[in-house]
């Protein structure tokens, strides 16, 4: 690991920013394209993620937020010199913009300037819940750790499903590509956690499936035929023996997936579970849909403020 600490890259957008929803609606072609779960920032999760990082991973180096122009979080203080906002058009070719496809966006992560060979990729809904060390992202043999769960992922035969979830279709597509190169096998679901990316391996992976990468980048929204690099990469690491599973029990012990549902009762139960387990990695995945339940939102907002009350060094003074 680098002496100055691992760099961290976030992907983030906020559909409340002026003009963003208008542009999204101009390009949308289906209900999936308008799914607010992927563009909403009603809980300011990035703010709390940075608070969790400052508290539980103070060893990190540079922090880069990769976003659509001209978006910058209103509360973000860039004067520390450790955090920077880089807009899509600084890296992504103009013919691929605007893009609302997270798969296309993350396919460019290895091209972001100034990063070390290895860096942590974090979606804005990922937080640290306990002290974390760089070694937590490696297995016992020093290989990049894959946080595999017990459940199996979507079969490759579902890659042509254009009526279901684009996420599931992309997982099926990735499994088909992996099967063709490395042989047929069932692959486990990977938990939603920060991803340790090796720039050279990431670029090598995308080059190995150049046509699938091109198709993904050409899609303004998630679509059948796309690949999810964040799923393909861990399994590519395993297939090439540069990654190792830490074991499902360790995955469940260290990481917790918290779906944000329109149920106050379920939200209370999940909050209680997080408080009891104190996982190192916590993901609050937005499943609220078009009409978030106000009580569920209030409970999560209070939970976040209770857990991370101290502003990070990256916030403007009130």
């Amino acid at each position: 690991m680098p002496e100055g600490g691992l760099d961290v890259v976030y992907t983030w957008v906020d559909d409340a920013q002026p003009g963003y929803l208008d542009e999204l609606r101009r390009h949308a072609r289906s209900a999936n394209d308008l799914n607010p779960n992927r563009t909403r920032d009603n809980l300011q999760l990035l703010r709390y993620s940075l608070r969790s990082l400052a508290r539980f991973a103070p060893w990190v180096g540079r922090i880069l937020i990769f976003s659509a122009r001209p978006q910058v979080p209103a509360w973000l203080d860039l004067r520390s010199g450790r955090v920077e906002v880089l807009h899509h058009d600084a890296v992504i070719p103009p013919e691929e913009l605007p893009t609302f496809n997270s798969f296309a966006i993350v396919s460019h992560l290895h091209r972001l300037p100034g990063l070390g060979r290895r860096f942590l990729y974090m979606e804005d809904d990922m937080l640290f819940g306990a002290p974390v060390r760089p070694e937590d992202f490696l297995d016992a043999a020093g290989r990049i750790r894959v946080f595999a769960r017990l459940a199996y992922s979507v079969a490759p035969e579902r890659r042509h499903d254009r009526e279901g979830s684009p996420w599931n279709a992309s997982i099926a597509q990735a499994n088909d590509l992996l099967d063709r190169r490395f042989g047929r096998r069932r692959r486990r679901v990977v938990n939603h956690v920060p991803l340790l990316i090796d720039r050279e391996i990431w670029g090598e992976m995308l080059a190995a499936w150049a046509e699938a990468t091109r198709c993904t980048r050409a899609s303004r929204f998630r679509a059948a035929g796309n690949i999810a690099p964040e799923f393909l990469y861990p399994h590519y690491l395993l297939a090439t023996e540069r990654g190792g599973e830490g074991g499902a029990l360790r995955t469940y012990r260290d990481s917790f997936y918290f779906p944000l549902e329109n149920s106050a009762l379920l939200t209370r139960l999940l909050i209680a579970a997080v408080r009891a387990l104190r996982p190192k990695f916590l993901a609050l995945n937005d499943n609220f849909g078009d009409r978030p339940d106000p009580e569920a939102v209030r409970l999560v907002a209070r939970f976040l403020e209770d857990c991370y009350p101290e502003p990070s060094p990256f916030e403007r003074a009130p």
Side-chain angles (χ1 to χ4, degrees), residues 17-304:
Q17 296 265 329
Y20 185 86
L21 274 180
D22 292 337
E23 188 166 37
L24 184 149
R25 288 166 179 155
R26 279 198 300 271
H27 292 280
R29 296 293 180 269
S30 71
N32 274 322
D33 294 348
L34 296 171
N35 184 350
N37 295 348
R38 295 198 297 272
T39 58
R40 178 169 43 215
D41 189 30
N42 63 325
L43 287 165
Q44 294 194 336
L45 289 178
L46 177 62
R47 181 199 289 261
Y48 290 103
S49 182
L50 286 170
R51 288 185 182 186
S52 77
L53 185 151
R55 178 179 177 186
F56 292 124
W59 44 262
V60 302
R62 178 186 179 205
I63 301 165
L64 194 152
I65 299 168
F66 196 36
S67 185
R69 187 174 297 277
Q71 296 198 17
V72 177
W75 48 264
L76 187 68
D77 188 346
L78 299 172
R79 293 174 297 178
S80 71
R82 288 185 58 201
V83 62
E84 175 186 351
V85 176
L86 184 72
H87 291 118
H88 296 163
D89 57 8
V91 175
I92 301 176
E95 61 271 19
E96 297 175 14
L97 294 174
T99 183
F100 310 95
N101 181 354
S102 65
F103 304 150
I105 293 166
V106 301
S107 76
H108 292 280
L109 292 182
H110 64 304
R111 300 181 58 230
L112 302 183
L115 297 174
R117 173 168 172 172
R118 287 185 170 183
F119 62 90
L120 280 181
Y121 165 52
M122 296 181 64
E123 297 179 35
D124 62 353
D125 61 359
M126 297 176 179
L127 302 94
F128 295 131
V132 174
R133 301 175 302 163
E135 293 77 18
D136 289 317
F137 301 97
L138 303 173
D139 75 352
R143 299 172 300 183
I144 296 174
R145 179 181 169 194
V146 174
F147 292 77
R149 300 171 65 180
L150 291 173
Y152 287 103
S153 58
V154 181
E157 289 75 17
R158 292 180 58 185
R159 66 189 183 279
H160 301 303
D161 182 5
R162 298 183 181 277
E163 302 302 321
S165 159
W167 168 261
N168 286 335
S170 73
I171 300 302
Q173 177 72 16
N175 274 324
D176 181 64
L177 296 176
L178 290 160
D179 283 352
R180 291 174 186 272
R181 185 171 293 263
F182 299 109
R184 182 72 185 252
R185 60 166 295 179
R186 299 177 73 192
R187 296 178 182 85
R188 297 191 184 276
V189 172
V190 178
N191 225 14
H192 197 59
V193 296
L195 194 61
L196 178 59
I197 290 181
D198 183 297
R199 293 164 67 106
E200 293 186 12
I201 299 175
W202 189 266
E204 171 192 308
M205 172 191 75
L206 297 173
W209 290 291
E211 179 56 27
T213 299
R214 186 206 64 76
C215 175
T216 301
R217 290 174 173 172
S219 300
R220 295 201 191 278
F221 296 87
R222 294 178 177 180
N226 287 188
I227 52 171
E230 58 267 50
F231 174 85
L232 183 62
Y233 174 70
H235 288 289
Y236 183 69
L237 290 172
L238 293 175
T240 59
E241 299 183 346
R242 288 175 288 185
E245 293 187 26
L249 290 180
R250 187 180 172 198
T251 292
Y252 287 111
R253 183 188 69 213
D254 286 353
S255 58
F256 192 95
Y257 181 79
F258 188 140
L260 301 177
E261 306 283 357
N262 289 318
S263 165
L265 175 59
L266 177 59
T267 300
R268 291 179 190 278
L269 291 173
L270 290 170
I271 288 172
V274 172
R275 292 188 184 280
L277 296 172
R278 296 191 70 246
K280 292 183 177 182
F281 310 109
L282 175 63
L284 282 76
N285 191 255
D286 188 341
N287 291 330
F288 284 138
D290 293 326
R291 297 181 179 179
D293 176 73
E295 178 61 10
V297 172
R298 185 189 67 80
L299 289 168
V300 177
R302 187 174 67 186
F303 163 72
L304 289 167

